[in-house]
Amino acid sequence: MSKKYHVFISSTFDDLRNERKSIMAELWKNGYVPVGMERFSASSRKQWNVIKEALDECDYMVLILGGRYGTIDPITGISYTEREYNYAKEKGIPVIPFIRKNIGNLPLSKIDTDLHKKRNLEDLIKRIKYGQEYESWTNSNNLAIKVLSAINKEIINVPRPG
């Protein structure tokens, strides 16, 4: 691969830590530059500004949805994950979404119990399912391979500068 494509990984963090780690490792191994909150350092700047700058430098965004909606941005009232998705779409950054199958079967520790967050997650999932192609996933073992395959196809179908 002559170009280095930057791929932003968007998801909730604590519940999808292992999935994020697997995806980032697979991307590095295959010549991509994964970008995500794990790589952010302490800063005096506002969190959203750091996220926007990182997204602006990326060629593609991978969105991983599980059983949690995520941390709510106090300014907008939506999760940072949804805000990242919205921003990428506004900026024309191709978003490749992966939605967890059978969310109701997840352990309680990986599901939002707050009704407002549950509804917001359901609404986001519906918006994605009815707005674009997505892939389902059930375990972290195959998710990283699915992500790599989807990015490889996206590079052919929706070329970016790299």
Side-chain angles (χ1 to χ4, degrees):
M1 179 183 309
S2 59
K3 292 182 180 183
K4 288 285 184 190
Y5 294 100
H6 290 71
V7 181
F8 190 92
I9 309 301
S10 178
S11 76
T12 52
F13 186 76
D14 287 334
D15 60 323
L16 296 174
R17 188 182 307 257
N18 291 335
E19 288 82 355
R20 292 176 67 87
K21 193 175 184 178
S22 296
I23 291 165
M24 288 194 168
E26 195 66 32
L27 291 175
W28 272 120
K29 198 168 51 173
N30 286 279
Y32 296 99
V33 180
V35 178
M37 65 176 75
E38 298 88 339
R39 307 260 188 260
F40 298 167
S41 61
S43 174
S44 62
R45 297 176 306 136
K46 292 185 187 249
Q47 183 176 3
W48 180 243
N49 291 338
V50 173
I51 293 168
K52 278 195 319 185
E53 286 176 19
L55 264 165
D56 286 340
E57 294 176 6
C58 287
D59 299 290
Y60 302 94
M61 177 177 149
V62 170
L63 176 65
I64 309 297
L65 295 178
R68 289 195 175 161
Y69 181 62
T71 303
I72 304 289
D73 175 5
I75 295 169
T76 62
I78 62 173
S79 72
Y80 282 99
T81 305
E82 184 170 0
R83 198 165 179 203
E84 291 164 357
Y85 171 74
N86 293 342
Y87 184 78
K89 295 295 265 183
E90 285 172 22
K91 290 293 188 171
I93 299 167
V95 177
I96 308 163
F98 294 83
I99 301 172
R100 177 72 161 80
K101 222 184 225 184
N102 303 321
I103 289 173
N105 294 341
L106 290 170
L108 207 50
S109 62
K110 294 190 176 235
I111 299 174
D112 277 324
T113 54
D114 176 276
L115 282 177
H116 180 69
K117 285 186 170 188
K118 280 178 104 162
R119 280 192 203 115
N120 284 348
L121 177 61
E122 289 167 2
D123 289 345
L124 177 59
I125 288 171
K126 283 179 191 168
R127 209 170 102 210
I128 292 165
K129 282 184 172 182
Y130 296 110
Q132 71 180 98
E133 291 296 314
Y134 69 94
E135 241 183 286
S136 298
W137 65 280
T138 54
N139 64 62
S140 57
N141 296 336
N142 68 3
L143 179 59
I145 301 303
K146 284 184 171 193
V147 167
L148 181 63
S149 175
I151 289 173
N152 288 335
K153 289 176 188 170
E154 196 75 3
I155 287 171
I156 293 165
N157 296 323
V158 186
R160 299 282 289 172

